[in-house]
Amino acid sequence: MTNYLMPGPWQDVRVRKAINYAIDMDTIINRRAGSYGQVLARAPREGSLRFNPNIKWYGYDPERAKPPARGRPPNGFEMTLHSPTGAT
């Protein structure tokens, strides 16, 4: 999870979208969950807090993961990803 209210590149929607497009969720599910899983872009069922049927997953698209020059932090930025032990 990321706190988008903290100062930094997260506050730019173009950067957040690029990060979403850069994540290959199908590969993560196949390798880490033995294909037993599904990508959820929203709360899973009607009646859940903040359920919105119009929200769709971005999908994996490396080309769209490259933010436009005007939305790219000038010197890039670093972020830490956390995963379970042994995850590849």
Side-chain angles (χ1 to χ4, degrees):
M1 293 189 64
T2 302
N3 183 347
Y4 302 122
L5 300 176
M6 292 179 63
W10 323 109
Q11 292 180 330
D12 188 328
V13 68
R14 296 168 295 192
V15 172
R16 295 194 307 268
K17 283 183 179 181
I19 290 169
N20 275 289
Y21 283 121
I23 300 171
D24 185 354
M25 290 300 295
D26 290 329
T27 297
I28 292 170
I29 289 170
N30 288 334
R31 288 188 181 171
R32 298 302 305 158
S35 299
Y36 292 102
Q38 67 183 54
V39 176
L40 295 177
R42 55 179 161 67
R45 61 186 166 247
E46 199 168 345
S48 297
L49 181 64
R50 298 179 191 215
F51 174 82
N52 183 340
N54 299 316
I55 296 174
K56 306 293 182 214
W57 178 250
Y58 284 88
Y60 176 59
D61 189 337
E63 283 305 308
R64 291 183 79 179
K66 299 173 184 174
R70 68 185 185 284
R72 197 174 297 148
N75 297 317
F77 65 94
E78 290 185 18
M79 61 186 269
T80 301
L81 298 175
H82 299 275
S83 66
T85 303
T88 57

